[in-house]
């Protein structure tokens, strides 16, 4: 029960890494808000782990504010916010990515971090504590061809994590990131372009440990960074990647 009594918000918690993180946090004693743009998925996960749920569009200021306010009114100020919601564009030459796809990737992957920080940091400062965890990607550390603007958005998340960490540390607020290699989640076909055994084998050949990351892998790392065991750790962008970035 390493998060006993803690209150956590996990975005994109209706599937994949977010579902894994929300599930583990709840098992470790936290009150977890399962937040997702897919209401049906959020309801499913929330019912399974016995947690509240919320529909949220993390790129929309009003939606993010409503999510934070509703959770705070019902459960109190959150202790942990996990910015997990994310999207990508299909593998495409950089000059051919549409402006709409570019804007959507940066709105969901980057602006969302700003919006949640704007909503929770004042309360974190007033209390003198809080944890923010951003789920970035190995794509932001070692970019893959044709995932160009997705790569850039995740690199932004890593830089934002360090910038937030150094500014918020004097207020007792820790900010870290995880850089997972691709997992067998709903986003995987978008990374591959076409989900075939051949494409999977090609992708796996770049991961020294020889497998995709799992929601459990990310949940284990997230649990550590968000727990009091990591009270001296801030500004870290931890690779959970089977050696992909070596």
């Amino acid at each position: 029960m390493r998060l006993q009594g803690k209150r956590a918000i996990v975005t994109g918690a209706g599937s994949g890494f977010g579902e894994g993180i929300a599930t583990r946090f709840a098992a470790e004693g936290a009150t977890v808000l399962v937040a997702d743009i897919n209401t049906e998925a959020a309801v499913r996960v929330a019912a399974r782990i016995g947690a509240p749920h919320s529909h949220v569009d993390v790129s929309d200021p009003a939606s993010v504010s409503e999510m934070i306010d509703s959770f705070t009114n019902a459960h109190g100020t959150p202790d942990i916010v996990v910015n997990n919601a994310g999207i990508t564009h299909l593998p495409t030459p950089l000059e051919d990515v549409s402006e709409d796809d570019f804007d959507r990737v940066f709105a969901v992957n980057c602006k969302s971090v700003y919006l949640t920080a704007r909503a929770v940091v004042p309360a974190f400062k007033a209390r003198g504590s809080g944890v923010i965890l951003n789920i970035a990607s190995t794509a932001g550390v070692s970019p893959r061809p044709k995932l160009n603007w997705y790569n850039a958005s995740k690199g932004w998340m890593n830089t934002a994590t360090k910038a937030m960490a150094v500014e918020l540390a004097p207020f007792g607020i820790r900010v870290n990131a995880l850089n997972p290699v691709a997992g067998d989640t709903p986003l995987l076909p978008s990374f591959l372009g076409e989900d075939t055994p051949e494409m999977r084998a090609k992708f796996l050949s770049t991961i020294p440990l020889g497998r995709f990351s799992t929601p459990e892998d990310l949940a284990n790392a997230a649990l550590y960074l968000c727990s009091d065991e990591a009270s001296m750790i801030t500004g870290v962008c931890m690779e959970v990647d089977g050696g992909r970035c070596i």
Side-chain angles (χ1 to χ4, degrees):
M1 305 298 281
R2 292 152 75 185
L3 298 180
Q4 183 69 46
K6 301 289 187 181
R7 297 172 292 269
I9 293 173
V10 182
T11 67
S15 64
F17 295 151
E19 180 177 358
I21 292 169
T23 299
R24 186 64 187 278
F25 280 17
E28 293 287 342
T31 298
V32 184
L33 180 65
V34 178
D36 204 289
I37 196 168
N38 184 333
T39 303
E40 183 180 348
V43 169
R44 175 186 61 81
V45 174
R48 181 174 59 77
I49 67 175
H53 70 273
S54 175
H55 171 272
V56 65
D57 178 350
V58 296
S59 68
D60 180 72
S63 184
V64 170
S65 293
E66 181 180 359
M67 172 188 69
I68 301 294
D69 291 345
S70 296
F71 181 80
T72 300
N73 291 336
H75 304 283
T77 300
D79 302 285
I80 301 163
V81 173
V82 180
N83 291 305
N84 168 76
I87 61 169
T88 185
H89 53 78
L90 292 173
T92 309
L94 62 88
E95 69 274 22
D96 293 335
V97 175
S98 72
E99 188 171 350
D100 284 345
D101 281 348
F102 176 92
D103 288 344
R104 185 62 179 159
V105 165
F106 274 79
V108 173
N109 294 357
C110 303
K111 187 178 181 181
S112 61
V113 177
Y114 158 73
L115 292 176
T116 57
R118 188 175 67 170
V120 301
V121 163
F124 281 4
K125 284 183 174 181
R127 188 179 55 202
S129 67
V131 178
I132 296 171
L133 181 66
N134 299 321
I135 308 302
S137 171
T138 54
V141 180
S142 180
R144 291 184 184 270
K146 295 189 177 181
L147 288 175
N148 31 73
W149 307 118
Y150 171 78
N151 296 334
S153 74
K154 292 303 188 176
W156 182 98
M157 287 185 79
N158 284 324
T159 300
T161 295
K162 293 178 180 293
M164 294 166 72
V166 73
E167 180 170 333
L168 297 177
F171 301 96
I173 302 167
R174 298 190 299 110
V175 187
N176 292 296
L178 293 178
N179 284 309
V181 74
D184 197 354
T185 70
L187 270 184
L188 182 60
S190 297
F191 293 129
L192 297 178
E194 54 177 342
D195 191 355
T196 64
E198 292 77 18
M199 285 301 295
R200 285 186 172 229
K202 181 179 178 181
F203 209 96
L204 284 171
S205 71
T206 67
I207 304 172
L209 283 182
R211 67 172 177 84
F212 293 113
S213 60
T214 67
E216 292 74 22
D217 293 326
L218 271 292
N220 290 335
L223 173 62
Y224 171 64
L225 289 177
C226 292
S227 74
D228 292 340
E229 296 169 19
S231 62
M232 190 58 175
I233 297 178
T234 195
V236 164
C237 299
M238 180 187 292
E239 292 154 15
V240 184
D241 68 347
R244 150 94 166 92
C245 290
I246 296 172

